[in-house]
Amino acid sequence: MADHLDAPTPLDEHRKLAVFAGEWNGEEMVYPSRWTAGGPATSHVVARIALNGFCLIQDSVQTRDGKESFATHGVFTYDRDDRAYRLFWHDSLGYYPPSPASGGWAGKSLILVRGSLRGNARHVYEVVDDNTYSMKIQFSPDAEGWADVLTGVYRRIH
């Protein structure tokens, strides 16, 4: 039939997310906040390209003092209509934002911001090289002045 639409295919913007696919170990610093005391942590991250190449699905488990302290599930994609990257984020604190984080690339950094009634969060993922990336999560009550909540450097497991 000539009246059906072809299914969309991933764009270069979707494929760019593959830089974060793989298995990673991270050394992190957790900053004191209203949610937790500060201190060093480690994380194990597993990320894969999924859903016909449209999404990067990332799961991480953070360990502090020998115990699991925080876990996340993130779904990254590119919104071709709005021409923006999106991050749908869920974590073991049980909060979820009313909408995904949005943003884009600035050089080697993917910067995504999301807001909720509790304030604003900014995720910055910077590609260091093929086997290393850094990440920081920052908080701001007004999306003006940002304070670090978590920083980390992640190295690919071969």
Side-chain angles (χ1 to χ4, degrees), residues 7-156:
T9 58
L11 303 172
D12 287 341
E13 288 85 354
H14 293 103
R15 288 186 281 278
K16 195 168 183 180
L17 292 169
V19 70
F20 300 114
E23 190 173 359
W24 310 82
N25 280 330
E27 296 294 324
E28 298 177 332
M29 178 55 64
V30 178
Y31 293 84
S33 70
R34 59 183 170 183
W35 300 285
T36 187
T42 59
S43 275
H44 182 79
V45 180
V46 177
R48 62 187 169 82
I49 297 297
L51 304 174
N52 292 332
F54 287 104
C55 295
L56 173 80
I57 298 175
Q58 181 191 70
D59 292 295
S60 71
V61 176
Q62 181 188 81
T63 304
R64 293 179 69 190
D65 301 320
K67 292 188 263 182
E68 181 179 317
S69 53
F70 187 58
T72 68
H73 177 78
V75 179
F76 298 74
T77 191
Y78 180 75
D79 184 331
R80 69 178 73 226
D81 293 332
D82 290 337
R83 296 184 179 157
Y85 285 88
R86 303 283 191 234
L87 169 57
F88 297 84
W89 178 267
H90 306 275
D91 62 41
S92 59
L93 294 178
Y95 297 115
Y96 59 91
S99 59
S102 295
W105 288 91
K108 292 184 169 189
S109 296
L110 177 59
I111 303 169
L112 302 152
V113 178
R114 61 184 159 90
S116 73
L117 295 175
R118 293 183 332 277
N120 301 280
R122 178 167 65 181
H123 296 237
V124 180
Y125 298 83
E126 182 178 359
V127 177
V128 176
D129 59 39
D130 289 344
N131 295 305
T132 312
Y133 73 91
S134 66
M135 187 269 296
K136 62 183 168 184
I137 299 175
Q138 299 173 306
F139 177 80
S140 172
D142 58 9
E144 299 271 335
W146 295 95
D148 289 343
V149 174
L150 173 76
T151 60
V153 176
Y154 305 84
R155 290 177 178 77
R156 187 180 302 278

